[in-house]
Amino acid sequence: MKLPSRVKIVEMGARDGLQNEHVVSTQSKIQFINQLSNTGLSHIEAGSFVSPKWVPQMADSKEVLESVIRRPNVRYSALTPNLQGLEQAIEAGADEVAIFTSCSEGFCQKNTNCTLMESLERFIPVVEHASARDIPVRGYLSCVIDCPYDGPTPPDKVAEIATLLLDVGCYEVSLGDTIGTGTPVRVQQMLSSVQQVMPTQQIAVHFHDTWGQAIANIYQALQMGVSVIDSSVAGLGGCPYAQGASGNVATEDVLYLCNQLGIETGVNLEKVAQVGWDICAELNKSPTSKVSLALR
Ligand code: HMG
Ligand code: MG
C-alpha cells in the first residue's frame, strides 16, 4: 500500500457549502473566508459566478472575492460556467476559475440547461480567455458514480469526459460523487478507469457524504495515489440540482484521517473545527463532522 506523503485540501465550504444553505450575509461570508485563510489551507473556493436566478446564494460572489483579505499563499477560486461568469471572476480578481459538467445528460441539463457536449463547447472560449490571462482552470466532473436522473455511471464514461476536460485545457479534474452513493469498490473501479487515461497527479476527488461513505472512499482514493481532496468545513453544503444530496465530506474528518495516516496537509485541524462552529452558529445548525463533535 502506497499512500501519498502530502495531500492538498481544496476547501469547498464557502462555495459548495454555502450555495446550498439559506442566504448568509456578505459580511459573514467575508469573515468566514478570512478565518479559513488563517488555518493553513492553500486553496479556498470563494464563490460562484453563475446565474443569480439559478443560485441566489452566490449572487454576491464579486463583492466577497473583492473584499476578502488575500493571504499570499492561498489561491482563491470561483466557478465560471460561461464567459459572462468568467468576466466577473476576472474583475473580482479570482486566482483560479473552475468549469463544471457532468458524466450524465440528465444532471448536465438540470444543472446548466444544456447538453454535455454543449457545456464542453461553452467552456472552450472560457478556458482560452482565462489562459490568456494566466488564470488556471480546474474542471469539475459530476455524477462519476451515479446520476440522480440517469442512474449508474459506467466507469469508462468518467474516463471519456475527464479526458475531454483535459483536452479543453483544465490542469486538474475533480471527480465528483455528487449524490454520495459511492462505496470503495465502485470508487476503485471508477478511478482505475480514469487512471488509464490521465496521470494521477491531475486527479482530485470530491465526495459528498450523503450515505456516510466519503471517508472510506477517500481512503480508497489515497491508496490509489490521489493527493488532492475537495472537502467542506463542518460538512456544509450540497447541490441545489441534486435533490437530497448532503454536504461534502467534512474537512475536519479528512484532516483527522490524514493526520492519523501520517499524511501532511499543512492545515490545522483545531482551527478549522473552530471556523466550522462559527459558521454553523451563523446558520443555526451543528457541524455534521464527527471529528468536530468529538473534539468538542
Ligand atoms: P441559462 O438560463 O440557460 O443561460 O443558464 P442564458 O445564457 O440563457 O442566460 C439567462 C439569464 O441568465 C440571462 O439574464 C443572463 O444574463 C444570465 P436575463 O437576460 O434573463 O436577465 N446569466 C448570468 N448571470 C450571471 N452570471 C452568469 C450568467 N450566465 C447567464 N454567469 C447557466 C445557464 C449555466 C448560467 C445556469 O444554468 C447556471 O447558472 N447554472 C449554475 C448551476 C449551479 O451553480 N449549480 C451548482 C454548482 S455545480 C456543483 O455544485 C457540482 C460540483 O460541486 C461537483 C459535484 O459535487 O458534483 C461542482
Ligand atoms: Mg459538489
Side-chain angles (χ1 to χ4, degrees), residues 15-16 206 208 248:
R15 196 280 300 169
D16 209 344
H206 178 112
H208 284 261
N248 294 93

Side-chain angles (χ1 to χ4, degrees), residues 76-145:
Y76 299 87
S77 64
L79 293 194
T80 53
N82 52 21
L83 271 179
Q84 196 176 338
L86 178 70
E87 273 154 25
Q88 292 176 49
I90 291 171
E91 274 179 43
D95 299 317
E96 175 175 319
V97 295
I99 55 178
F100 52 99
T101 190
S102 172
C103 297
S104 57
E105 290 293 347
F107 186 76
C108 199
Q109 201 70 51
K110 287 276 194 306
N111 197 41
T112 49
N113 201 24
C114 64
T115 66
L116 213 170
M117 283 306 150
E118 282 166 351
S119 77
L120 290 165
E121 277 159 27
R122 206 182 263 178
F123 297 149
I124 293 169
V126 175
V127 180
E128 274 173 9
H129 277 66
S131 303
R133 288 167 180 77
D134 287 331
I135 300 173
V137 183
R138 190 173 204 236
Y140 284 102
L141 186 48
S142 290
C143 303
V144 300
I145 300 288

Side-chain angles (χ1 to χ4, degrees), residues 262-278:
I263 298 174
E264 260 184 71
T265 61
V267 187
N268 183 295
L269 168 58
E270 284 74 18
K271 283 187 183 172
V272 169
Q274 186 55 52
V275 181
W277 282 99
D278 291 350

